[in-house]
Amino acid sequence: MLNHSEIDSILRALVEPTRRQILERLSRGPATVSQLAEPFGMTFAAVLQHLQALEACGLIRSEKIGRVRTCRIEPGGLAPLADWITERRIPVERHLDRLGEILAETDQSSPKVQDQEKDDQP
Amino acid sequence: MLNHSEIDSILRALVEPTRRQILERLSRGPATVSQLAEPFGMTFAAVLQHLQALEACGLIRSEKIGRVRTCRIEPGGLAPLADWITERRIPVERHLDRLGEILAETDQSSPKVQDQEKDDQP
DNA sequence: GGAATGGTTAAGCATGGGCTTGAGTATTGC
DNA sequence: GCAATACTCAAGCCCATGCTTAACCATTCC
């Protein structure tokens, strides 16, 4: 499915553990491509591809000076995903609010709505 | 890479557009498996696999009564991802704070730190 | 200028995961 | 009991994507 929305590309970038580790590393400060590649048992080119994916969706930013490219975190990069999450949460809160209203309207003699257990392993 | 942490499974679930649409649908109220399968031009079995992925990482919950399985949103399902995002954001804020301190310490005669442009298309 | 360093790109392999098919199970309606 | 319904499971196809290899710039050092 070619859903090329913004959160789609951010999620596709974040779903890869290596890229999350790169973000982790960059959150402790800027680094060059070779510095980023070194800790991973991985080719230079592979790390570069990860960096391009991260930069394409606005999670990092990079700047080349001379022959050295330095990468750093883009501060607001995770904001679209954070917004998406809060948007998805609001309807649920609304549902809970309506549930609260319903509970308030009905008698207090049936307080077992919170009792539902989640079945862990089917 | 077999990184089976919680946010890993949540991200793997959310990265699929179909599963996000299913979440969207369920945020408007519970639905049976066949009700969920109907709008997608997709097999029953395929939707079922998506539902299993969503339930395995705690984003939805389902209950079978008779031969009908009803699915609903798990209210706190997105919380681990939201927490992960805020955790990643704090170091950046710290960096910005330190930047603010540095700017406060130095003279006000060099205000070009915010001037850096992001190069859109390489 | 030539070698070394740092990065970039393209081509190809290989695995994972989404989707289908097809068979199978449990429940409901007659 | 038998058929229809609603779902479940397993096997396999196929494509997207991560990774490697191998060549190819560009910059710095001598």
Side-chain angles (χ1 to χ4, degrees):
Chain A
M1 317 269 176
L2 21 150
N3 188 344
H4 280 286
S5 68
E6 192 175 23
I7 52 129
D8 193 73
S9 61
I10 293 178
L11 285 171
R12 281 215 310 273
L14 288 180
V15 80
E16 181 64 35
T18 310
R19 290 198 278 264
R20 292 204 301 274
Q21 284 178 257
I22 291 176
L23 279 186
E24 214 87 37
R25 167 67 185 80
L26 285 179
S27 72
R28 295 194 301 273
T32 70
V33 178
S34 42
Q35 284 171 345
L36 286 171
E38 190 228 342
F40 302 101
M42 200 180 297
T43 321
F44 213 81
V47 173
L48 193 65
Q49 285 167 17
H50 286 310
L51 291 174
Q52 287 166 347
L54 286 168
E55 189 161 18
C57 70
L59 288 175
I60 71 171
R61 184 166 37 98
S62 76
E63 188 188 14
K64 192 167 183 179
I65 299 175
R67 62 184 173 185
V68 176
R69 178 172 293 276
T70 304
C71 306
R72 65 195 72 229
I73 289 267
E74 183 76 41
L78 286 173
L81 181 57
D83 292 348
W84 184 86
I85 290 177
T86 51
E87 283 169 20
R88 304 310 113 152
R89 281 179 133 178
I90 287 168
V92 174
E93 307 295 321
R94 291 240 174 90
H95 272 234
L96 291 180
D97 286 352
R98 286 186 57 195
L99 179 63
E101 291 171 17
I102 290 165
L103 285 178
E105 286 176 21
T106 59
D107 208 343
Q108 289 94 329
S109 59
S110 58
K112 49 194 306 185
V113 184
Q114 294 270 22
D115 276 8
Q116 303 189 358
E117 282 284 325
K118 60 178 286 192
D119 43 335
D120 276 0
Q121 316 297 352
Chain B
M1 311 288 171
L2 19 150
N3 188 343
H4 280 287
S5 69
E6 193 175 21
I7 51 129
D8 191 75
S9 61
I10 292 178
L11 285 171
R12 282 214 309 272
L14 287 181
V15 83
E16 181 64 35
T18 309
R19 290 198 279 264
R20 293 203 300 273
Q21 284 180 256
I22 290 175
L23 279 186
E24 214 87 35
R25 166 65 185 83
L26 286 178
S27 73
R28 296 195 299 271
T32 69
V33 178
S34 41
Q35 284 171 344
L36 287 171
E38 190 228 342
F40 302 99
M42 202 181 295
T43 321
F44 212 82
V47 174
L48 192 65
Q49 285 166 18
H50 286 310
L51 292 173
Q52 286 166 347
L54 286 169
E55 188 161 21
C57 69
L59 287 177
I60 71 170
R61 185 165 38 99
S62 76
E63 188 188 15
K64 192 167 184 179
I65 298 175
R67 63 185 170 182
V68 176
R69 177 172 294 276
T70 304
C71 306
R72 65 195 72 227
I73 289 270
E74 183 76 41
L78 286 172
L81 181 57
D83 292 348
W84 184 85
I85 289 177
T86 52
E87 283 168 20
R88 303 310 111 151
R89 282 180 133 179
I90 287 169
V92 175
E93 306 297 320
R94 290 237 175 94
H95 273 234
L96 291 181
D97 286 353
R98 286 187 57 195
L99 179 63
E101 291 171 17
I102 291 166
L103 285 178
E105 285 176 22
T106 60
D107 206 345
Q108 289 94 327
S109 59
S110 59
K112 50 193 306 184
V113 185
Q114 294 270 23
D115 274 6
Q116 301 190 358
E117 282 284 324
K118 58 178 289 191
D119 43 337
D120 276 357
Q121 316 296 351

